[in-house]
Amino acid sequence: MGARREQLDVEADDEEGIDYDKLIDRFGSQRISDELIARMEKLTGKKAHPWLRRGIFFSHRDFELILDLYEAKKPFYLYTGRGPSSDALHMGHLIPFMFTKWLQDTFDVPLVIQMTDDEKYLWKGDIEKGQTLDKFYKLGKENARDIIACGFDVSKTFIFSNLEYMGHMYPTVVKIEKAVTYSQAKGIFGFIDSDNVGKHSFPAIQAAPSFPVAFPHMFGENNTEALCLIPCAIDQDPYFRMTRDVAPRLGWKKPALLHSKFFPALTGAKSKMSASNASTTIYVSDTPNEIKTKVNKYAFSGGQVSVDDQKKMGANLDVDVSYQWMRFFCDDDELLAKMAAEYGPGPVRQGDKMLTGEAKAMLIETIKPIIAKHQAA
Ligand code: TRP
């Protein structure tokens, strides 16, 4: 994502990686508070998703408005997307979709999923390396299968390729393009003069599904009422700051957002997991043996250097990938708390502290069934 990602990477300067509090301050979003979670639980009669309770989805814009609508039984819909970049999705790619599936189940609302085959071609296309437009279109189709496997409500879900659907949402895109100046886009995304012109106009294409007018077949012609809720990783926020900025000028409602933290790479929490480096990545297509080997070989350990020290002092859980991944994939709060107590720092209650090998085994046993279920679906 070139310049845009670099803007975020600036924050990733210490051991713990990205300073998410700084991002909230700088972007002017809201922290997801315990009160907000409690209100949601009360309205839905359902315990909040572990990723909300554990602060993995940590920031929002206008989520209260979504709860107001839900309470008043008024319409809203979900929007998320994916830029197709490798044949199979990895565990990190699943996060927004698993969460979106939970939101759809909880609120029983329509969902649109944008496959940005155009975006990936504009950013990553390279005809000499076989990275053709057609390649990204086909990757999008492949990825769509993995996304569908997350189990969305088929009668309420619309998944589309930009290359195919563009004509239908083009009136929406053009209106957004006209409302954003070149200097605004440059300011938000850090575009430079040598970037191709497709990049400069792409933000309007990612913005368009935030408005129900882009989907007349779902919401009727000229529907400006239904509000959009976008669950996404925090690095997508610049698109939607732009979207929210133009919305009132077009007579449309600003989309609401729920932002997640990045999912750490196997090799360490410092950065987002990359799909291009197979060893730092667990794919949803990996076999149980591949999962075991990769976790054992590459999962970054926050444990002490010597076994004796680890037995006495415990691991630094903030950087330990086995624990951090368990926070994502272990739904059992008690098991997670037990792992933190037995493996992390703090007084040793019974016997010695857990060793990294055991923590890795816990992770392997947790993700194996998730991937097996996904593959079957
Ligand atoms: N730009 C995103 C990516 O690179 C894809 C995307 C399009 C998206 N629309 C979205 C992600 C809405 C989250 C929400 O993967």
Side-chain angles (χ1 to χ4, degrees):
M1 241 50 15
R4 188 167 74 251
R5 285 275 154 71
E6 274 153 36
Q7 288 179 322
L8 278 173
D9 287 349
V10 177
E11 315 285 333
D13 48 10
D14 56 26
E15 269 289 285
E16 251 81 284
I18 294 147
D19 186 338
Y20 290 103
D21 284 336
K22 247 202 246 168
L23 287 182
I24 286 185
D25 294 342
R26 212 175 75 197
F27 293 169
S29 61
Q30 251 63 58
R31 218 164 254 102
I32 295 178
S33 65
D34 293 344
E35 292 73 37
L36 189 63
I37 293 176
R39 180 171 175 223
M40 175 179 176
E41 290 184 330
K42 200 166 154 231
L43 284 174
T44 60
K46 202 169 151 181
K47 200 168 170 187
H49 193 285
W51 297 343
L52 283 166
R53 288 187 273 115
R54 293 175 193 166
I56 287 170
F57 275 80
F58 72 107
S59 151
H60 77 99
R61 296 183 190 276
D62 284 345
F63 187 60
E64 315 91 339
L65 290 184
I66 293 289
L67 294 182
D68 291 346
L69 288 176
Y70 182 71
E71 192 167 23
K73 301 194 165 44
K74 294 228 176 94
F76 67 94
Y77 71 100
L78 298 163
Y79 160 38
T80 190
R82 151 135 188 98
S85 62
S86 60
D87 281 310
L89 269 67
H90 62 55
M91 298 291 286
H93 293 143
L94 284 184
I95 308 291
F97 296 108
M98 290 168 80
F99 188 68
T100 302
K101 147 95 178 133
W102 182 85
L103 289 171
Q104 187 180 46
D105 288 348
T106 302
F107 294 112
D108 190 25
V109 286
L111 160 66
V112 298
I113 303 175
Q114 178 182 52
M115 302 301 290
T116 57
D117 33 23
D118 53 348
E119 173 190 22
K120 287 294 150 174
Y121 175 67
L122 291 168
W123 262 265
K124 300 268 151 81
D126 184 337
I127 299 184
E128 268 153 42
K129 293 187 184 139
Q131 308 282 58
T132 59
L133 182 58
D134 190 51
K135 164 104 186 282
F136 290 101
Y137 173 68
K138 284 181 177 141
L139 282 176
K141 294 264 152 169
E142 274 302 303
N143 286 183
R145 295 171 58 212
D146 275 316
I147 291 169
I148 292 163
C150 291
F152 300 107
D153 179 343
V154 285
S155 69
K156 291 200 167 86
T157 302
F158 178 56
I159 180 162
F160 63 96
S161 139
N162 275 347
L163 288 172
E164 284 177 9
Y165 189 68
M166 188 60 171
H168 303 276
M169 64 176 187
Y170 195 49
T172 311
V173 170
V174 171
K175 287 174 191 169
I176 299 166
E177 283 174 343
K178 184 159 163 63
V180 182
T181 66
Y182 177 59
S183 76
Q184 281 169 329
K186 226 161 80 166
I188 297 171
F189 300 100
F191 294 135
I192 52 173
D193 287 357
S194 60
D195 280 329
N196 63 62
V197 290
K199 285 190 185 181
H200 295 91
S201 62
F202 177 75
I205 301 171
Q206 178 153 336
S210 312
F211 304 110
V213 287
F215 305 100
H217 67 290
M218 293 177 80
F219 303 112
E221 296 290 331
N222 290 318
N223 181 333
T224 52
E225 276 311 301
L227 200 71
C228 177
L229 170 63
I230 308 168
C232 63
I234 186 73
D235 66 334
Q236 299 298 308
D237 188 69
Y239 286 111
F240 301 117
R241 266 181 282 148
M242 185 199 88
T243 308
R244 287 169 55 87
D245 186 55
V246 299
R249 276 182 272 145
L250 295 166
W252 297 337
K253 290 188 172 147
K254 296 180 180 189
L257 288 130
L258 288 170
H259 300 122
S260 76
K261 296 181 177 173
F262 295 132
F263 182 66
L266 246 199
T267 46
K270 282 187 192 178
S271 63
K272 210 165 87 153
M273 193 147 113
S274 152
S276 46
N277 186 348
S279 69
T280 62
T281 307
I282 304 262
Y283 290 101
V284 296
S285 55
D286 281 350
T287 63
N289 250 333
E290 281 169 330
I291 296 168
K292 188 172 164 202
T293 310
K294 284 188 193 174
V295 170
N296 281 332
K297 203 163 164 195
Y298 298 111
F300 185 80
S301 168
Q304 304 298 328
V305 176
S306 79
V307 170
D308 281 345
D309 281 353
Q310 172 60 23
K311 282 181 181 168
K312 274 184 250 140
M313 301 193 291
N316 175 355
L317 299 182
D318 290 338
V319 300
D320 188 273
V321 168
S322 301
Y323 178 72
Q324 289 300 324
W325 279 34
M326 285 291 277
R327 288 184 69 237
F328 278 87
F329 293 112
C330 170
D331 285 346
D332 182 342
D333 292 335
E334 272 169 43
L335 183 65
L336 191 69
K338 190 165 170 273
M339 180 181 187
E342 290 179 7
Y343 181 46
V348 185
R349 259 171 271 161
Q350 284 165 330
D352 296 329
K353 283 280 168 186
M354 186 191 287
L355 300 180
T356 293
E358 230 182 297
K360 288 188 174 186
M362 281 177 84
L363 175 65
I364 292 164
E365 289 319 307
T366 301
I367 57 181
K368 268 194 328 206
I370 295 173
I371 291 196
K373 198 178 143 212
H374 186 89
Q375 290 174 356

